[in-house]
Amino acid sequence: MAIITRPALNGSHWYSLDGKPCHTIRTKDGKSERNTTLRDARTLNLLPSVTTIIGILDKPQLTKWKMREVAKAAIAIPGPQGEEPVERFADRAIEAAMSQVSDAADLGTKIHNAIENLMRGSAEEPSAEMQPYVKPVLDWMRKVGVKVTHSEIVLVNAVHGFAGRVDALFTWDDGFGKMGILDFKTKKTKPDEKVEAYDEHVLQLAAYAATHYGAEHLQHVVAANLFISSTEPGRLEVVKHDKARLVEAYEAFTQMCAIWRFRKGYDPRPDAQMKEAA
């Protein structure tokens, strides 16, 4: 489930070739952990995550939202104190603006964990707090006849050099060719406001689906984002992506992989690593 997290967790995500998450590494003194860097990735031959690659895209709507929240926070918090440098005041405004993001991330993590436990067959009932968020998802899955085949698994694409964790892969009615992929996202909504998926959402699903099912089968894959409202408990919006759009998205994503390698000066593909070592 994709959620903006605390600054401490804002580093890029990385995986080893065998699918092990390597988002952080131990500090030299061994007492704590720090975010894995590109330099670390080069040393350890790590693969970037799907979201890390998509991160090269400009996201004007997200940028505008961040700027608006910081401006609102700058008005709400106490102004510069004494001889406080303007840079420090700006930092305080950013911290205040992002505090709500941390709260949303905490709720999103709880919702995600509750759904994950149920998909993995846990007999434990979701807490009363989680019921309004989880029940609509379960009701929709039962209505459609979704049968989850994999939950929270890491997919590795050695050909294009990336990896990532998928929320859920599924089938329904046990019929031939009925392959599906789901991505859960929490989202603040307003009554009667239409919920739409962005380019990065279909790019992410296309990358996962092509890696698991094969790019040649994308035209048979049902891909959907399940947006769970964090501000209107009980509201669930299912955005299903056009299959032709999914095929186009994967082609675009592979080009983004090439651009990412060019911009970073690092080719994580195993074949490229072997040639470099030879």
Side-chain angles (χ1 to χ4, degrees), residues 2-38:
I3 301 172
I4 300 173
T5 56
R6 293 181 176 83
L9 299 179
N10 276 346
S12 298
H13 285 179
W14 304 91
Y15 296 86
S16 63
L17 273 172
D18 60 0
K20 179 183 178 182
C22 301
H23 312 325
T24 61
I25 61 174
R26 302 294 295 179
T27 55
K28 288 184 178 180
D29 60 15
K31 296 181 179 180
S32 60
E33 294 186 343
R34 61 173 177 78
N35 289 333
T36 302
T37 66
L38 179 61

PDB file of all heavy atoms in Angstrom, residues 2-38:
ATOM      1  N   ALA A   2       0.693   2.098  -0.944  1.00  0.00           N
ATOM      2  CA  ALA A   2       1.587   3.233  -1.079  1.00  0.00           C
ATOM      3  C   ALA A   2       1.131   4.384  -0.204  1.00  0.00           C
ATOM      4  O   ALA A   2       0.018   4.881  -0.347  1.00  0.00           O
ATOM      5  CB  ALA A   2       1.637   3.708  -2.524  1.00  0.00           C
ATOM      6  N   ILE A   3       2.026   4.824   0.682  1.00  0.00           N
ATOM      7  CA  ILE A   3       1.723   5.918   1.601  1.00  0.00           C
ATOM      8  C   ILE A   3       2.967   6.771   1.766  1.00  0.00           C
ATOM      9  O   ILE A   3       4.073   6.253   1.875  1.00  0.00           O
ATOM     10  CB  ILE A   3       1.319   5.391   2.988  1.00  0.00           C
ATOM     11  CG1 ILE A   3       0.091   4.496   2.850  1.00  0.00           C
ATOM     12  CG2 ILE A   3       1.044   6.530   3.948  1.00  0.00           C
ATOM     13  CD1 ILE A   3      -0.255   3.781   4.115  1.00  0.00           C
ATOM     14  N   ILE A   4       2.791   8.095   1.771  1.00  0.00           N
ATOM     15  CA  ILE A   4       3.913   8.981   2.072  1.00  0.00           C
ATOM     16  C   ILE A   4       4.255   8.799   3.543  1.00  0.00           C
ATOM     17  O   ILE A   4       3.396   8.879   4.415  1.00  0.00           O
ATOM     18  CB  ILE A   4       3.542  10.446   1.799  1.00  0.00           C
ATOM     19  CG1 ILE A   4       3.171  10.629   0.315  1.00  0.00           C
ATOM     20  CG2 ILE A   4       4.691  11.366   2.161  1.00  0.00           C
ATOM     21  CD1 ILE A   4       2.629  11.999  -0.003  1.00  0.00           C
ATOM     22  N   THR A   5       5.515   8.578   3.859  1.00  0.00           N
ATOM     23  CA  THR A   5       5.900   8.254   5.224  1.00  0.00           C
ATOM     24  C   THR A   5       6.749   9.348   5.851  1.00  0.00           C
ATOM     25  O   THR A   5       7.042  10.370   5.248  1.00  0.00           O
ATOM     26  CB  THR A   5       6.681   6.939   5.246  1.00  0.00           C
ATOM     27  OG1 THR A   5       7.806   7.047   4.365  1.00  0.00           O
ATOM     28  CG2 THR A   5       5.810   5.790   4.768  1.00  0.00           C
ATOM     29  N   ARG A   6       7.155   9.090   7.074  1.00  0.00           N
ATOM     30  CA  ARG A   6       7.968  10.037   7.810  1.00  0.00           C
ATOM     31  C   ARG A   6       9.300  10.272   7.091  1.00  0.00           C
ATOM     32  O   ARG A   6       9.785   9.392   6.388  1.00  0.00           O
ATOM     33  CB  ARG A   6       8.275   9.502   9.217  1.00  0.00           C
ATOM     34  CG  ARG A   6       7.059   9.415  10.111  1.00  0.00           C
ATOM     35  CD  ARG A   6       7.449   8.902  11.482  1.00  0.00           C
ATOM     36  NE  ARG A   6       6.324   8.904  12.388  1.00  0.00           N
ATOM     37  CZ  ARG A   6       5.416   7.951  12.451  1.00  0.00           C
ATOM     38  NH1 ARG A   6       5.507   6.908  11.643  1.00  0.00           N
ATOM     39  NH2 ARG A   6       4.414   8.033  13.295  1.00  0.00           N
ATOM     40  N   PRO A   7       9.916  11.464   7.285  1.00  0.00           N
ATOM     41  CA  PRO A   7      11.184  11.746   6.640  1.00  0.00           C
ATOM     42  C   PRO A   7      12.216  10.656   6.860  1.00  0.00           C
ATOM     43  O   PRO A   7      13.015  10.364   6.001  1.00  0.00           O
ATOM     44  CB  PRO A   7      11.610  13.083   7.291  1.00  0.00           C
ATOM     45  CG  PRO A   7      10.308  13.741   7.629  1.00  0.00           C
ATOM     46  CD  PRO A   7       9.401  12.618   8.045  1.00  0.00           C
ATOM     47  N   ALA A   8      12.205  10.014   8.019  1.00  0.00           N
ATOM     48  CA  ALA A   8      13.200   8.997   8.327  1.00  0.00           C
ATOM     49  C   ALA A   8      13.090   7.800   7.401  1.00  0.00           C
ATOM     50  O   ALA A   8      14.024   7.030   7.255  1.00  0.00           O
ATOM     51  CB  ALA A   8      13.046   8.539   9.776  1.00  0.00           C
ATOM     52  N   LEU A   9      11.930   7.649   6.761  1.00  0.00           N
ATOM     53  CA  LEU A   9      11.715   6.498   5.895  1.00  0.00           C
ATOM     54  C   LEU A   9      11.635   6.892   4.426  1.00  0.00           C
ATOM     55  O   LEU A   9      11.227   6.113   3.589  1.00  0.00           O
ATOM     56  CB  LEU A   9      10.420   5.772   6.301  1.00  0.00           C
ATOM     57  CG  LEU A   9      10.380   5.224   7.714  1.00  0.00           C
ATOM     58  CD1 LEU A   9       9.026   4.574   7.960  1.00  0.00           C
ATOM     59  CD2 LEU A   9      11.496   4.231   7.952  1.00  0.00           C
ATOM     60  N   ASN A  10      12.062   8.121   4.099  1.00  0.00           N
ATOM     61  CA  ASN A  10      11.885   8.623   2.758  1.00  0.00           C
ATOM     62  C   ASN A  10      12.973   8.215   1.792  1.00  0.00           C
ATOM     63  O   ASN A  10      13.004   8.699   0.667  1.00  0.00           O
ATOM     64  CB  ASN A  10      11.770  10.161   2.765  1.00  0.00           C
ATOM     65  CG  ASN A  10      10.349  10.605   3.060  1.00  0.00           C
ATOM     66  OD1 ASN A  10       9.426   9.813   3.008  1.00  0.00           O
ATOM     67  ND2 ASN A  10      10.184  11.870   3.373  1.00  0.00           N
ATOM     68  N   GLY A  11      13.883   7.357   2.198  1.00  0.00           N
ATOM     69  CA  GLY A  11      14.916   6.922   1.289  1.00  0.00           C
ATOM     70  C   GLY A  11      14.350   6.011   0.213  1.00  0.00           C
ATOM     71  O   GLY A  11      13.252   5.480   0.327  1.00  0.00           O
ATOM     72  N   SER A  12      15.125   5.833  -0.864  1.00  0.00           N
ATOM     73  CA  SER A  12      14.700   4.926  -1.920  1.00  0.00           C
ATOM     74  C   SER A  12      14.653   3.500  -1.382  1.00  0.00           C
ATOM     75  O   SER A  12      15.360   3.152  -0.442  1.00  0.00           O
ATOM     76  CB  SER A  12      15.678   5.016  -3.091  1.00  0.00           C
ATOM     77  OG  SER A  12      15.688   6.318  -3.642  1.00  0.00           O
ATOM     78  N   HIS A  13      13.829   2.679  -2.004  1.00  0.00           N
ATOM     79  CA  HIS A  13      13.729   1.280  -1.608  1.00  0.00           C
ATOM     80  C   HIS A  13      14.565   0.411  -2.539  1.00  0.00           C
ATOM     81  O   HIS A  13      14.591   0.617  -3.757  1.00  0.00           O
ATOM     82  CB  HIS A  13      12.266   0.828  -1.633  1.00  0.00           C
ATOM     83  CG  HIS A  13      11.473   1.350  -0.474  1.00  0.00           C
ATOM     84  ND1 HIS A  13      10.128   1.086  -0.305  1.00  0.00           N
ATOM     85  CD2 HIS A  13      11.837   2.110   0.588  1.00  0.00           C
ATOM     86  CE1 HIS A  13       9.700   1.668   0.815  1.00  0.00           C
ATOM     87  NE2 HIS A  13      10.719   2.292   1.365  1.00  0.00           N
ATOM     88  N   TRP A  14      15.225  -0.584  -1.935  1.00  0.00           N
ATOM     89  CA  TRP A  14      16.135  -1.449  -2.681  1.00  0.00           C
ATOM     90  C   TRP A  14      15.913  -2.899  -2.286  1.00  0.00           C
ATOM     91  O   TRP A  14      15.477  -3.200  -1.169  1.00  0.00           O
ATOM     92  CB  TRP A  14      17.589  -1.066  -2.397  1.00  0.00           C
ATOM     93  CG  TRP A  14      17.929   0.362  -2.684  1.00  0.00           C
ATOM     94  CD1 TRP A  14      17.865   1.411  -1.809  1.00  0.00           C
ATOM     95  CD2 TRP A  14      18.368   0.907  -3.925  1.00  0.00           C
ATOM     96  NE1 TRP A  14      18.241   2.578  -2.436  1.00  0.00           N
ATOM     97  CE2 TRP A  14      18.559   2.293  -3.736  1.00  0.00           C
ATOM     98  CE3 TRP A  14      18.630   0.348  -5.187  1.00  0.00           C
ATOM     99  CZ2 TRP A  14      18.999   3.136  -4.757  1.00  0.00           C
ATOM    100  CZ3 TRP A  14      19.069   1.191  -6.203  1.00  0.00           C
ATOM    101  CH2 TRP A  14      19.249   2.565  -5.983  1.00  0.00           C
ATOM    102  N   TYR A  15      16.246  -3.801  -3.232  1.00  0.00           N
ATOM    103  CA  TYR A  15      16.113  -5.233  -2.990  1.00  0.00           C
ATOM    104  C   TYR A  15      17.329  -5.971  -3.537  1.00  0.00           C
ATOM    105  O   TYR A  15      17.941  -5.538  -4.530  1.00  0.00           O
ATOM    106  CB  TYR A  15      14.860  -5.795  -3.676  1.00  0.00           C
ATOM    107  CG  TYR A  15      13.562  -5.255  -3.148  1.00  0.00           C
ATOM    108  CD1 TYR A  15      13.033  -4.065  -3.641  1.00  0.00           C
ATOM    109  CD2 TYR A  15      12.860  -5.930  -2.152  1.00  0.00           C
ATOM    110  CE1 TYR A  15      11.832  -3.567  -3.152  1.00  0.00           C
ATOM    111  CE2 TYR A  15      11.663  -5.433  -1.661  1.00  0.00           C
ATOM    112  CZ  TYR A  15      11.155  -4.254  -2.163  1.00  0.00           C
ATOM    113  OH  TYR A  15       9.969  -3.748  -1.676  1.00  0.00           O
ATOM    114  N   SER A  16      17.648  -7.096  -2.905  1.00  0.00           N
ATOM    115  CA  SER A  16      18.695  -7.958  -3.436  1.00  0.00           C
ATOM    116  C   SER A  16      18.103  -8.793  -4.569  1.00  0.00           C
ATOM    117  O   SER A  16      16.884  -8.855  -4.739  1.00  0.00           O
ATOM    118  CB  SER A  16      19.236  -8.877  -2.334  1.00  0.00           C
ATOM    119  OG  SER A  16      18.218  -9.739  -1.862  1.00  0.00           O
ATOM    120  N   LEU A  17      18.947  -9.455  -5.325  1.00  0.00           N
ATOM    121  CA  LEU A  17      18.481 -10.256  -6.451  1.00  0.00           C
ATOM    122  C   LEU A  17      17.565 -11.402  -6.019  1.00  0.00           C
ATOM    123  O   LEU A  17      16.730 -11.869  -6.795  1.00  0.00           O
ATOM    124  CB  LEU A  17      19.668 -10.817  -7.233  1.00  0.00           C
ATOM    125  CG  LEU A  17      20.235  -9.911  -8.322  1.00  0.00           C
ATOM    126  CD1 LEU A  17      21.522 -10.492  -8.873  1.00  0.00           C
ATOM    127  CD2 LEU A  17      19.221  -9.702  -9.439  1.00  0.00           C
ATOM    128  N   ASP A  18      17.730 -11.859  -4.788  1.00  0.00           N
ATOM    129  CA  ASP A  18      16.860 -12.936  -4.305  1.00  0.00           C
ATOM    130  C   ASP A  18      15.599 -12.396  -3.623  1.00  0.00           C
ATOM    131  O   ASP A  18      14.847 -13.140  -2.995  1.00  0.00           O
ATOM    132  CB  ASP A  18      17.615 -13.868  -3.356  1.00  0.00           C
ATOM    133  CG  ASP A  18      18.146 -13.152  -2.116  1.00  0.00           C
ATOM    134  OD1 ASP A  18      17.940 -11.930  -1.987  1.00  0.00           O
ATOM    135  OD2 ASP A  18      18.803 -13.819  -1.288  1.00  0.00           O
ATOM    136  N   GLY A  19      15.345 -11.093  -3.760  1.00  0.00           N
ATOM    137  CA  GLY A  19      14.103 -10.509  -3.272  1.00  0.00           C
ATOM    138  C   GLY A  19      14.119 -10.031  -1.834  1.00  0.00           C
ATOM    139  O   GLY A  19      13.078  -9.668  -1.297  1.00  0.00           O
ATOM    140  N   LYS A  20      15.255  -9.990  -1.205  1.00  0.00           N
ATOM    141  CA  LYS A  20      15.325  -9.531   0.182  1.00  0.00           C
ATOM    142  C   LYS A  20      15.296  -8.008   0.237  1.00  0.00           C
ATOM    143  O   LYS A  20      16.093  -7.340  -0.414  1.00  0.00           O
ATOM    144  CB  LYS A  20      16.610 -10.041   0.838  1.00  0.00           C
ATOM    145  CG  LYS A  20      16.773  -9.585   2.284  1.00  0.00           C
ATOM    146  CD  LYS A  20      18.094 -10.067   2.859  1.00  0.00           C
ATOM    147  CE  LYS A  20      18.288  -9.560   4.288  1.00  0.00           C
ATOM    148  NZ  LYS A  20      19.597  -9.994   4.852  1.00  0.00           N
ATOM    149  N   PRO A  21      14.380  -7.417   1.031  1.00  0.00           N
ATOM    150  CA  PRO A  21      14.343  -5.958   1.165  1.00  0.00           C
ATOM    151  C   PRO A  21      15.629  -5.449   1.803  1.00  0.00           C
ATOM    152  O   PRO A  21      16.109  -6.002   2.792  1.00  0.00           O
ATOM    153  CB  PRO A  21      13.144  -5.717   2.090  1.00  0.00           C
ATOM    154  CG  PRO A  21      12.305  -6.945   1.941  1.00  0.00           C
ATOM    155  CD  PRO A  21      13.269  -8.076   1.754  1.00  0.00           C
ATOM    156  N   CYS A  22      16.186  -4.397   1.225  1.00  0.00           N
ATOM    157  CA  CYS A  22      17.424  -3.794   1.742  1.00  0.00           C
ATOM    158  C   CYS A  22      17.255  -2.280   1.788  1.00  0.00           C
ATOM    159  O   CYS A  22      18.103  -1.536   1.293  1.00  0.00           O
ATOM    160  CB  CYS A  22      18.621  -4.170   0.866  1.00  0.00           C
ATOM    161  SG  CYS A  22      18.942  -5.937   0.715  1.00  0.00           S
ATOM    162  N   HIS A  23      16.138  -1.828   2.374  1.00  0.00           N
ATOM    163  CA  HIS A  23      15.839  -0.402   2.392  1.00  0.00           C
ATOM    164  C   HIS A  23      16.752   0.373   3.342  1.00  0.00           C
ATOM    165  O   HIS A  23      16.963   1.569   3.172  1.00  0.00           O
ATOM    166  CB  HIS A  23      14.387  -0.169   2.796  1.00  0.00           C
ATOM    167  CG  HIS A  23      13.410  -1.033   2.045  1.00  0.00           C
ATOM    168  ND1 HIS A  23      13.578  -1.382   0.722  1.00  0.00           N
ATOM    169  CD2 HIS A  23      12.240  -1.620   2.437  1.00  0.00           C
ATOM    170  CE1 HIS A  23      12.567  -2.138   0.334  1.00  0.00           C
ATOM    171  NE2 HIS A  23      11.749  -2.302   1.356  1.00  0.00           N
ATOM    172  N   THR A  24      17.261  -0.318   4.358  1.00  0.00           N
ATOM    173  CA  THR A  24      18.182   0.302   5.311  1.00  0.00           C
ATOM    174  C   THR A  24      19.365  -0.628   5.536  1.00  0.00           C
ATOM    175  O   THR A  24      19.287  -1.827   5.266  1.00  0.00           O
ATOM    176  CB  THR A  24      17.502   0.567   6.668  1.00  0.00           C
ATOM    177  OG1 THR A  24      17.064  -0.690   7.225  1.00  0.00           O
ATOM    178  CG2 THR A  24      16.307   1.500   6.512  1.00  0.00           C
ATOM    179  N   ILE A  25      20.466  -0.040   6.014  1.00  0.00           N
ATOM    180  CA  ILE A  25      21.636  -0.835   6.366  1.00  0.00           C
ATOM    181  C   ILE A  25      22.162  -0.341   7.717  1.00  0.00           C
ATOM    182  O   ILE A  25      21.859   0.779   8.144  1.00  0.00           O
ATOM    183  CB  ILE A  25      22.758  -0.744   5.313  1.00  0.00           C
ATOM    184  CG1 ILE A  25      23.245   0.699   5.169  1.00  0.00           C
ATOM    185  CG2 ILE A  25      22.290  -1.270   3.968  1.00  0.00           C
ATOM    186  CD1 ILE A  25      24.450   0.833   4.244  1.00  0.00           C
ATOM    187  N   ARG A  26      22.927  -1.180   8.368  1.00  0.00           N
ATOM    188  CA  ARG A  26      23.486  -0.815   9.670  1.00  0.00           C
ATOM    189  C   ARG A  26      24.537   0.266   9.519  1.00  0.00           C
ATOM    190  O   ARG A  26      25.284   0.313   8.539  1.00  0.00           O
ATOM    191  CB  ARG A  26      24.129  -2.040  10.324  1.00  0.00           C
ATOM    192  CG  ARG A  26      23.209  -3.221  10.530  1.00  0.00           C
ATOM    193  CD  ARG A  26      22.114  -2.950  11.531  1.00  0.00           C
ATOM    194  NE  ARG A  26      22.619  -2.722  12.871  1.00  0.00           N
ATOM    195  CZ  ARG A  26      21.850  -2.441  13.924  1.00  0.00           C
ATOM    196  NH1 ARG A  26      20.535  -2.354  13.775  1.00  0.00           N
ATOM    197  NH2 ARG A  26      22.372  -2.273  15.116  1.00  0.00           N
ATOM    198  N   THR A  27      24.577   1.168  10.474  1.00  0.00           N
ATOM    199  CA  THR A  27      25.614   2.189  10.485  1.00  0.00           C
ATOM    200  C   THR A  27      26.955   1.546  10.847  1.00  0.00           C
ATOM    201  O   THR A  27      26.999   0.410  11.313  1.00  0.00           O
ATOM    202  CB  THR A  27      25.283   3.290  11.518  1.00  0.00           C
ATOM    203  OG1 THR A  27      25.072   2.668  12.802  1.00  0.00           O
ATOM    204  CG2 THR A  27      24.034   4.047  11.108  1.00  0.00           C
ATOM    205  N   LYS A  28      28.034   2.264  10.627  1.00  0.00           N
ATOM    206  CA  LYS A  28      29.361   1.706  10.861  1.00  0.00           C
ATOM    207  C   LYS A  28      29.561   1.261  12.302  1.00  0.00           C
ATOM    208  O   LYS A  28      30.253   0.271  12.567  1.00  0.00           O
ATOM    209  CB  LYS A  28      30.428   2.735  10.484  1.00  0.00           C
ATOM    210  CG  LYS A  28      30.566   2.966   8.981  1.00  0.00           C
ATOM    211  CD  LYS A  28      31.693   3.924   8.675  1.00  0.00           C
ATOM    212  CE  LYS A  28      31.850   4.114   7.171  1.00  0.00           C
ATOM    213  NZ  LYS A  28      32.949   5.062   6.855  1.00  0.00           N
ATOM    214  N   ASP A  29      28.950   1.987  13.235  1.00  0.00           N
ATOM    215  CA  ASP A  29      29.114   1.605  14.641  1.00  0.00           C
ATOM    216  C   ASP A  29      28.186   0.455  15.041  1.00  0.00           C
ATOM    217  O   ASP A  29      28.258  -0.055  16.157  1.00  0.00           O
ATOM    218  CB  ASP A  29      28.896   2.800  15.568  1.00  0.00           C
ATOM    219  CG  ASP A  29      27.503   3.407  15.439  1.00  0.00           C
ATOM    220  OD1 ASP A  29      26.611   2.754  14.852  1.00  0.00           O
ATOM    221  OD2 ASP A  29      27.298   4.534  15.916  1.00  0.00           O
ATOM    222  N   GLY A  30      27.285   0.055  14.121  1.00  0.00           N
ATOM    223  CA  GLY A  30      26.405  -1.072  14.379  1.00  0.00           C
ATOM    224  C   GLY A  30      25.285  -0.790  15.361  1.00  0.00           C
ATOM    225  O   GLY A  30      24.541  -1.693  15.739  1.00  0.00           O
ATOM    226  N   LYS A  31      25.127   0.458  15.765  1.00  0.00           N
ATOM    227  CA  LYS A  31      24.145   0.788  16.793  1.00  0.00           C
ATOM    228  C   LYS A  31      22.783   1.185  16.233  1.00  0.00           C
ATOM    229  O   LYS A  31      21.793   1.226  16.976  1.00  0.00           O
ATOM    230  CB  LYS A  31      24.685   1.912  17.679  1.00  0.00           C
ATOM    231  CG  LYS A  31      25.940   1.515  18.478  1.00  0.00           C
ATOM    232  CD  LYS A  31      26.408   2.671  19.340  1.00  0.00           C
ATOM    233  CE  LYS A  31      27.653   2.289  20.161  1.00  0.00           C
ATOM    234  NZ  LYS A  31      28.129   3.413  21.011  1.00  0.00           N
ATOM    235  N   SER A  32      22.719   1.508  14.968  1.00  0.00           N
ATOM    236  CA  SER A  32      21.453   1.947  14.379  1.00  0.00           C
ATOM    237  C   SER A  32      21.441   1.631  12.884  1.00  0.00           C
ATOM    238  O   SER A  32      22.370   0.991  12.375  1.00  0.00           O
ATOM    239  CB  SER A  32      21.250   3.453  14.609  1.00  0.00           C
ATOM    240  OG  SER A  32      22.314   4.188  14.017  1.00  0.00           O
ATOM    241  N   GLU A  33      20.400   2.095  12.214  1.00  0.00           N
ATOM    242  CA  GLU A  33      20.288   1.882  10.783  1.00  0.00           C
ATOM    243  C   GLU A  33      20.099   3.217  10.076  1.00  0.00           C
ATOM    244  O   GLU A  33      19.633   4.188  10.668  1.00  0.00           O
ATOM    245  CB  GLU A  33      19.113   0.958  10.459  1.00  0.00           C
ATOM    246  CG  GLU A  33      19.293  -0.459  10.969  1.00  0.00           C
ATOM    247  CD  GLU A  33      18.164  -1.377  10.506  1.00  0.00           C
ATOM    248  OE1 GLU A  33      17.113  -0.849  10.077  1.00  0.00           O
ATOM    249  OE2 GLU A  33      18.355  -2.592  10.557  1.00  0.00           O
ATOM    250  N   ARG A  34      20.460   3.244   8.815  1.00  0.00           N
ATOM    251  CA  ARG A  34      20.262   4.436   7.991  1.00  0.00           C
ATOM    252  C   ARG A  34      19.689   3.998   6.643  1.00  0.00           C
ATOM    253  O   ARG A  34      19.724   2.822   6.284  1.00  0.00           O
ATOM    254  CB  ARG A  34      21.576   5.191   7.782  1.00  0.00           C
ATOM    255  CG  ARG A  34      22.650   4.385   7.062  1.00  0.00           C
ATOM    256  CD  ARG A  34      23.860   5.242   6.726  1.00  0.00           C
ATOM    257  NE  ARG A  34      24.941   4.492   6.110  1.00  0.00           N
ATOM    258  CZ  ARG A  34      24.973   4.107   4.832  1.00  0.00           C
ATOM    259  NH1 ARG A  34      23.958   4.401   4.031  1.00  0.00           N
ATOM    260  NH2 ARG A  34      25.994   3.421   4.355  1.00  0.00           N
ATOM    261  N   ASN A  35      19.137   4.952   5.916  1.00  0.00           N
ATOM    262  CA  ASN A  35      18.582   4.637   4.609  1.00  0.00           C
ATOM    263  C   ASN A  35      19.685   4.176   3.653  1.00  0.00           C
ATOM    264  O   ASN A  35      20.782   4.736   3.634  1.00  0.00           O
ATOM    265  CB  ASN A  35      17.891   5.861   4.009  1.00  0.00           C
ATOM    266  CG  ASN A  35      16.599   6.204   4.720  1.00  0.00           C
ATOM    267  OD1 ASN A  35      15.960   5.336   5.299  1.00  0.00           O
ATOM    268  ND2 ASN A  35      16.220   7.473   4.689  1.00  0.00           N
ATOM    269  N   THR A  36      19.379   3.179   2.867  1.00  0.00           N
ATOM    270  CA  THR A  36      20.317   2.702   1.855  1.00  0.00           C
ATOM    271  C   THR A  36      20.447   3.748   0.761  1.00  0.00           C
ATOM    272  O   THR A  36      19.462   4.330   0.311  1.00  0.00           O
ATOM    273  CB  THR A  36      19.814   1.381   1.246  1.00  0.00           C
ATOM    274  OG1 THR A  36      19.657   0.425   2.284  1.00  0.00           O
ATOM    275  CG2 THR A  36      20.799   0.842   0.220  1.00  0.00           C
ATOM    276  N   THR A  37      21.669   4.006   0.325  1.00  0.00           N
ATOM    277  CA  THR A  37      21.930   5.013  -0.700  1.00  0.00           C
ATOM    278  C   THR A  37      22.275   4.353  -2.027  1.00  0.00           C
ATOM    279  O   THR A  37      22.491   3.145  -2.109  1.00  0.00           O
ATOM    280  CB  THR A  37      23.095   5.920  -0.289  1.00  0.00           C
ATOM    281  OG1 THR A  37      24.309   5.135  -0.243  1.00  0.00           O
ATOM    282  CG2 THR A  37      22.849   6.547   1.079  1.00  0.00           C
ATOM    283  N   LEU A  38      22.360   5.173  -3.060  1.00  0.00           N
ATOM    284  CA  LEU A  38      22.759   4.679  -4.376  1.00  0.00           C
ATOM    285  C   LEU A  38      24.167   4.102  -4.319  1.00  0.00           C
ATOM    286  O   LEU A  38      24.460   3.085  -4.963  1.00  0.00           O
ATOM    287  CB  LEU A  38      22.682   5.811  -5.404  1.00  0.00           C
ATOM    288  CG  LEU A  38      23.099   5.464  -6.838  1.00  0.00           C
ATOM    289  CD1 LEU A  38      22.209   4.373  -7.411  1.00  0.00           C
ATOM    290  CD2 LEU A  38      23.031   6.729  -7.712  1.00  0.00           C
TER     291      LEU A  38
END
